[in-house]
Amino acid sequence: MSRDLSIDVHHITRVEGHGNIVVDMKNGELRKAQLDIVEPPRFFEAMMKGRSFHEAAIITSRICGICSLGHQMTSLKATEAALGLELSEQTIKLRKLLVHGSTFQSNVLHALFLATPDFLNVGSVFPLVETHKEVVLAALRLKRLANEMGEIISGRAVHPISCVPGGFTQIPTEDKLKYLKEQLETQGLKDVAFVAEVLKSLAGEIPVFKRETEYISVYSDEEYGLYDGQICSSDSGLYPVEDYLSVTNEFVVAHSSSKHARFNRSSYMVGALARFNNSHKLLKPEARDLAASLGLVAPNFNPYMITVAQVVEVLHCVLDSIDLLDDLLTTGLKQEKPNQQPTKYGRGIATTEVPRGILFHDYTYNRQGIIEAANCIIPTGQNLANIDDDMKKLVPEILDQGKDTITKKLEMLVRAYDPCISCSVHMLDVEFVE
Amino acid sequence: MSKPKVAFFDFTSCEGCQLNKLNFENDLLDMLKLVDIVEFREAMDNRADEYDIAFIEGSISSPTCVERIHDIRRRTKILVALGQCAVSGGINAMKNDQPSEWVRETVYGEDKYLFPSLPAMPVSAVVKVDYEIRGCPMSPPEYLHVLKSLLLGRKPELKDYAVCVECKLKENECVLDKGMFCLGPVTRAGCEAICPSFGQYCTGCRGPVSDLNKDGAVNMLKAHGFSEAEAIKRMKMFNTNDLEKTISWGAK
Ligand code: SF4
Ligand code: SF4
Ligand code: SF4
């Protein structure tokens, strides 16, 4: 079909940060279909230089409020790797709980408050307070519960306080952990089941679209890869985290103040669907069943299904949190101090899955425990090339649907990736020439 | 009476303050009964022309930011700076302290001349700010207090004494006594000393008290074994602009 089409969604809504969708088609030839990133730069890597190891995680946490826990975890692990700080099992379990809490908090926020309004044809979650009050309440309760996990274990859900290199400055009380466990087992599981039912009833609203790409995530043999593991590519297998630069291959494009990334193909996907495709066998059985009942079967090549994968992960995280709490309570909590005696100095690289995908921090410390060089590679930046490739395949397929529908589907596509634009422009700025 | 029109805007920030505001899950629905949220790009599609109260998150750090903030100021009756990025430049201002040539070179290499950028500024450097909610992230109880006061037509009361006062009231063990660093003595209260309450030092994220005694602060930290350079460096994490503005701090 030969036609002209021009779409410019200036500052797409219901995403974190500032981006524009631009499509330009002339005589049936697609000249442009891309997500422009227009957020101002923040220069975090430059700010890190000269800072002590006590400060690194406090600073990098501020790259992004939504992913603050993930940045802290990755930052702490990079520092610990560089300085040779061993962690206790208790510290690792508490951290895994924090990662679960922040993953399911973010997944609930995205799936229910940012993506679902599209399925119900409204512009925000606010009208749903009237029309779908029970869902909104269930989602709010889940969000509250996730935040409480953060508050009880780390002092604050946004920019956690007590997680420091080598451990925690304060250990939560057993009573509070018991309380969390009870809440997760009762109301928590009930609300997840309800939210899953609602999503099932909306399954028909999820656009059908398929584009196979490369899926990259953290992978561990022992558990669904979130807190730690190796780098896994669906195309070419496992890599140690130290090889991250040869996987991410960042490059600058003129239409984005955030760098793009590619590995085996022109683009790759990170995030909930990539994790699901690579690690689905390691989900809790209940979460695997839920995926099947929602029509999500690995490998799945529909980016709109990211939202479904997120809800599946919510159930997994709630169930695994219950198990972790059980473990901690059975062993009993030790009042241990953080281990902050460096055994070496040098470079440390770490990776964690944050809600939007695989995150890398890489620091080099001098012998005074001061940072000499820092690098962070953010999930959203890694997804940007993939989003552009999706758009280039999608637009020609839906050309007959009218500009409004095309625009809506493109917005839904970008939103499905749950892009975190503040994160992705943590360092770079490019001026635009139209 | 129609409900006040409230809008939220984000500039250069981590959006943590906006997120924190969504974290009042229990009060959120009640709050929606009292105000009409007319613009909030992170959560909704709508846009509006006028606002009664505009909450601004983030620093001003590019020419586009300057244009946008003037436009918002023209259209709102009350403008509130939400969080330390907006109040003082916050953590973004750390880059101001480094030679901009060097910052740009670190990031762009030889392409540095292609990319103009402004120092990270507080909102008040560009337009009039009516109220400030401090903190990185902003403290939720303070936010509720300001919002309620504004809805009732009252002037919010903000604190101007040190975090130590709140910390003592909570009967926390002082982290200085444990050999840690702490900025509680020189930092403005209002967060209920949340960091020392969780065993961590105060990083000074709410900015200095207005009658800051620089020498006293530095001497106190020196007495606890921190060098002057280290003390100043740590104070600057969230407060580069404040410290550069009010006092000549010498050592960079
Ligand atoms: S003040 Fe802190 S929490 Fe708030 S937006 Fe700025 S960096 Fe984020
Ligand atoms: S811990 Fe910090 S804030 Fe608390 S009393 Fe000691 S110096 Fe003051
Ligand atoms: S204790 Fe200090 S660092 Fe913590 S929130 Fe309060 S002012 Fe900020």
Side-chain angles (χ1 to χ4, degrees):
Chain A
M1 191 165 67
S2 164
R3 66 176 273 191
D4 293 350
L5 175 72
S6 163
I7 292 176
D8 185 359
V9 181
H10 191 73
H11 290 183
I12 176 175
T13 56
R14 280 182 280 142
V15 302
E16 197 278 348
H18 295 96
N20 305 330
I21 295 175
V22 180
V23 173
D24 180 16
M25 186 170 231
K26 275 267 153 54
N27 300 322
E29 184 207 338
L30 190 60
R31 294 174 169 183
K32 222 189 228 180
Q34 66 196 29
L35 178 65
D36 289 0
I37 301 294
V38 296
E39 185 88 9
R42 295 183 68 212
F43 303 103
F44 268 89
E45 277 89 344
M47 301 196 295
M48 296 289 284
K49 286 193 189 177
R51 293 279 160 179
S52 93
F53 74 89
H54 294 285
E55 298 172 289
I58 301 175
I59 297 171
T60 46
S61 177
R62 271 75 185 177
I63 292 175
C64 170
I66 307 183
C67 317
S68 55
L69 188 271
H71 278 291
Q72 279 209 355
M73 288 297 123
T74 320
S75 178
L76 294 174
K77 288 194 301 175
T79 294
E80 286 150 4
L83 305 185
L85 305 174
E86 295 279 335
L87 296 179
S88 73
E89 251 180 64
Q90 173 172 301
T91 294
I92 294 174
K93 282 185 185 147
L94 287 170
R95 285 189 181 176
K96 284 184 178 171
L97 276 169
L98 289 173
V99 171
H100 282 336
S102 90
T103 307
F104 90 75
Q105 126 89 15
S106 174
N107 283 7
V108 166
L109 181 72
H110 177 257
L112 274 297
F113 292 173
L114 305 179
T116 303
D118 284 324
F119 304 147
L120 296 165
N121 278 311
V122 289
S124 79
V125 70
F126 300 122
L128 303 183
V129 176
E130 301 297 327
T131 56
H132 294 73
K133 191 160 185 178
E134 288 313 310
V135 195
V136 176
L137 287 177
L140 281 173
R141 277 193 301 267
L142 281 171
K143 235 173 77 51
R144 178 91 296 266
L145 184 51
N147 282 329
E148 265 183 311
M149 286 171 70
E151 287 157 12
I152 287 174
I153 301 170
S154 68
R156 189 161 63 191
V158 177
H159 304 318
I161 295 169
S162 59
C163 332
V164 294
F168 285 85
T169 55
Q170 185 164 301
I171 307 295
T173 64
E174 293 194 1
D175 281 351
K176 293 222 163 120
L177 294 191
K178 271 187 204 135
Y179 160 83
L180 282 180
K181 182 167 169 261
E182 274 164 29
Q183 291 295 308
L184 287 164
E185 281 171 340
T186 53
Q187 196 67 43
L189 282 175
K190 214 159 94 191
D191 285 334
V192 182
F194 178 63
V195 162
E197 277 311 307
V198 173
L199 193 65
K200 211 177 284 178
S201 72
L202 294 173
E205 304 297 323
I206 299 175
V208 181
F209 168 67
K210 208 167 124 180
R211 189 179 73 83
E212 187 181 346
T213 181
E214 180 176 7
Y215 300 91
I216 293 186
S217 70
V218 166
Y219 184 86
S220 152
D221 284 334
E222 279 137 49
E223 58 188 8
Y224 189 78
L226 290 169
Y227 173 71
D228 211 353
Q230 289 188 286
I231 306 168
C232 173
S233 150
S234 57
D235 280 353
S236 55
L238 297 176
Y239 301 85
V241 55
E242 288 73 22
D243 291 353
Y244 79 106
L245 286 174
S246 65
V247 172
T248 53
N249 306 296
E250 284 190 307
F251 58 101
V252 178
V253 290
H255 67 279
S256 164
S257 54
S258 163
K259 288 181 186 176
H260 282 204
R262 68 176 155 228
F263 187 27
N264 289 302
R265 310 181 185 214
S266 63
S267 60
Y268 63 83
M269 183 197 278
V270 300
L273 189 61
R275 291 191 288 263
F276 176 82
N277 280 344
N278 290 347
S279 303
H280 61 100
K281 293 200 179 102
L282 294 144
L283 282 167
K284 298 271 170 197
E286 295 88 336
R288 273 206 309 261
D289 293 346
L290 174 63
S293 77
L294 291 169
L296 179 64
V297 180
N300 182 291
F301 303 136
N302 180 0
Y304 291 102
M305 291 296 273
I306 294 170
T307 308
V308 176
Q310 285 177 325
V311 172
V312 168
E313 288 188 336
V314 172
L315 179 58
H316 173 83
C317 289
V318 169
L319 289 167
D320 201 49
S321 298
I322 296 172
D323 290 352
L324 283 165
L325 284 163
D326 227 12
D327 270 11
L328 283 165
L329 288 166
T330 317
T331 335
L333 284 165
K334 285 188 281 296
Q335 286 306 318
E336 47 184 33
K337 299 261 171 297
N339 166 19
Q340 300 194 330
Q341 294 307 317
T343 55
K344 59 176 184 169
Y345 295 96
R347 188 164 174 202
I349 301 171
T351 183
T352 315
E353 281 287 337
V354 293
R356 286 154 195 81
I358 190 165
L359 168 69
F360 302 97
H361 282 216
D362 171 359
Y363 308 146
T364 305
Y365 282 94
N366 69 14
R367 299 200 61 81
Q368 282 72 47
I370 301 289
I371 293 184
E372 287 185 330
N375 185 31
C376 311
I377 295 187
I378 309 294
T380 293
Q382 298 173 69
N383 268 333
L384 291 174
N386 205 61
I387 296 177
D388 286 359
D389 281 353
D390 279 351
M391 285 191 186
K392 291 192 178 80
K393 176 159 192 285
L394 179 65
V395 171
E397 287 178 12
I398 57 172
L399 258 191
D400 53 342
Q401 298 186 2
K403 187 169 162 176
D404 286 352
T405 314
I406 299 177
T407 306
K408 182 176 174 194
K409 285 204 170 150
L410 288 173
E411 287 190 76
M412 284 174 75
L413 177 75
V414 172
R415 238 172 246 140
Y417 282 86
D418 195 4
C420 189
I421 294 172
S422 302
C423 265
S424 68
V425 296
H426 63 293
M427 63 179 287
L428 199 67
D429 186 24
V430 178
E431 281 286 300
F432 297 100
V433 231
E434 278 300 316
Chain B
M1 200 185 81
S2 67
K3 293 195 274 184
K5 292 199 194 76
V6 175
F8 299 96
F9 299 92
D10 54 304
F11 286 78
T12 302
S13 71
C14 81
E15 309 208 356
C17 288
Q18 304 228 31
L19 184 70
N20 230 357
K21 162 191 85 220
L22 284 177
N23 286 349
F24 298 108
E25 292 84 358
N26 302 333
D27 303 313
L28 207 58
L29 297 190
D30 289 335
M31 225 138 61
L32 287 177
K33 291 192 193 119
L34 299 175
V35 301
D36 204 359
I37 300 182
V38 292
E39 196 163 329
F40 182 7
R41 190 194 47 80
E42 271 188 307
M44 63 198 278
D45 294 350
N46 293 353
R47 290 177 191 182
D49 295 327
E50 285 184 348
Y51 329 107
D52 293 301
I53 310 173
F55 286 96
I56 310 295
E57 181 198 68
S59 318
I60 307 299
S61 77
S62 75
T64 329
C65 294
V66 175
E67 271 169 45
R68 273 180 68 220
I69 193 69
H70 276 297
D71 183 49
I72 293 166
R73 180 69 260 191
R74 270 194 290 278
R75 289 186 283 133
T76 186
K77 291 191 187 124
I78 298 175
L79 188 148
V80 184
L82 183 64
Q84 210 62 16
C85 287
V87 169
S88 75
I91 198 149
N92 297 317
M94 266 169 67
K95 74 161 180 162
N96 300 355
D97 209 22
Q98 294 158 338
S100 78
E101 281 289 282
W102 178 78
V103 171
R104 277 153 61 194
E105 203 167 282
T106 311
V107 178
Y108 306 115
E110 59 191 22
D111 290 333
K112 64 181 174 180
Y113 296 109
L114 291 174
F115 312 116
S117 114
L118 297 175
M121 294 180 284
V123 175
S124 61
V126 183
V127 297
K128 178 169 172 269
V129 170
D130 299 300
Y131 299 102
E132 292 179 339
I133 301 174
R134 289 171 173 258
C136 179
M138 60 95 169
S139 117
E142 198 172 58
Y143 167 74
L144 274 186
H145 168 73
V146 170
L147 186 63
K148 277 186 199 150
S149 309
L150 294 179
L151 293 179
L152 294 169
R154 292 197 198 129
K155 202 168 151 19
E157 280 172 43
L158 298 174
K159 297 173 179 154
D160 192 9
Y161 47 82
V163 168
C164 284
V165 176
E166 289 180 331
C167 192
K168 298 259 154 54
L169 280 174
K170 293 189 96 176
E171 300 181 1
N172 292 330
E173 188 190 349
C174 179
V175 303
L176 285 170
D177 295 341
K178 291 194 259 180
M180 287 166 76
F181 179 88
C182 195
L183 287 176
V186 291
T187 302
R188 212 182 274 236
C191 57
E192 291 163 21
I194 186 168
C195 300
S197 303
F198 279 87
Q200 173 67 314
Y201 71 92
C202 170
T203 55
C205 83
R206 296 176 50 82
V209 285
S210 62
D211 59 348
L212 175 65
N213 172 352
K214 172 215 157 189
D215 294 336
V218 171
N219 288 339
M220 181 273 300
L221 290 165
K222 271 161 106 177
H224 282 87
F226 299 94
S227 73
E228 178 160 349
E230 181 67 14
I232 290 175
K233 199 168 79 181
R234 293 225 194 170
M235 274 191 229
K236 281 188 169 177
M237 183 189 284
F238 290 101
N239 303 306
T240 309
N241 283 341
D242 296 80
L243 300 186
E244 290 303 322
K245 184 179 66 196
T246 45
I247 317 151
S248 169
W249 281 78
K252 282 217 173 182

